[in-house]
Amino acid sequence: MAIPREILKDLELLRDLPQELAARLATLMVERSYARREVVFNKGESGQPLCFLVEGRLQGVDFTLDGREVGLYFVDPGSYFGEMSVLDGQPRPDFVIAVARSRVAFLPGAEARNLIVNTPSIAEKVLVRLTQRLRSVSAQRTLLGMPSPSQRVCAQLVQLAVTGANGKVSITNAPTHQEIAIMVNTSRETVTRVFQVLQTRGAVARDGGSLQVGDPAYLHDVAEGKVEPPKTS
């Protein structure tokens, strides 16, 4: 079933396309809903549609050799994923799961690749995204090599934090303690204890679904090993 043309206005990659092209793409795209923890696609899966998150939240994950789940990245509404397989035709490099009830729109791979190759503005956006993803993966590998779980949690928060126009540092749509635990290879209980310490000293504070970072310098110093990680026991 084709998706409504209006949905494309909320998709960062497609919102600036000419109306005629956008209308044609909308007729080619299909949408599917996913329950929380449902798999959107599996690692090694063939088939290369370009995927767009319409609503909800997704997480890219993989597993270590001993079976531990490791979080790689999040996908927020309006964003896209699966571009690597669209470009090289290879199987999916990771798992993508829904961490909340989600709606995903799919653009057939051949049409998506044609769009990227023949539309310079789209190609530039995809290249920038791939570069960001490579930098993120490199930073995540460095993070996972840190010896202290507290240090890894602080480093992950630094990576997720954004400075707003008002100069305040925050993490919108902050991941749950379980999601952070998956990302930094520790237990949810450990993440909760770290957060208790950080909140007590005013380094972070919950604000609905977001985190306000009250002391970003402290998080940076812990992440870089300049100060001792917070004690959690």
Side-chain angles (χ1 to χ4, degrees), residues 7-131:
I7 286 181
L8 271 64
K9 297 178 182 178
D10 297 323
L11 305 180
E12 62 183 57
L13 188 66
L14 306 179
R15 64 168 60 107
D16 297 324
L17 291 176
Q19 289 189 3
E20 183 177 344
L21 176 56
R24 187 175 70 81
L25 292 180
T27 66
L28 299 173
M29 299 174 72
V30 295
E31 182 184 306
R32 180 180 168 186
S33 296
Y34 293 87
R36 184 177 181 274
R37 298 303 297 176
E38 188 174 357
V39 176
V40 178
F41 57 66
N42 291 288
K43 180 178 180 178
E45 189 175 299
S46 59
Q48 291 84 33
L50 185 60
C51 313
F52 299 84
L53 182 59
V54 178
E55 181 182 279
R57 199 177 202 207
L58 309 174
Q59 186 177 27
V61 302
D62 207 344
F63 293 87
T64 61
L65 291 176
D66 59 0
R68 288 174 294 174
E69 186 177 358
V70 178
L72 304 175
Y73 57 87
F74 287 104
V75 182
D76 291 315
S79 191
Y80 62 94
F81 57 102
E83 67 274 19
M84 289 181 61
S85 292
V86 169
L87 292 172
D88 65 12
Q90 297 300 306
R92 302 293 189 186
D94 47 37
F95 300 85
V96 173
I97 61 173
V99 294
R101 290 185 62 86
S102 301
R103 294 163 52 205
V104 179
F106 299 90
L107 178 64
E111 190 66 39
R113 192 176 192 284
N114 182 64
L115 177 69
I116 295 170
V117 170
N118 294 300
T119 311
S121 61
I122 298 293
E124 182 179 6
K125 290 179 180 179
V126 171
L127 286 172
V128 170
R129 166 63 64 81
L130 287 171
T131 300

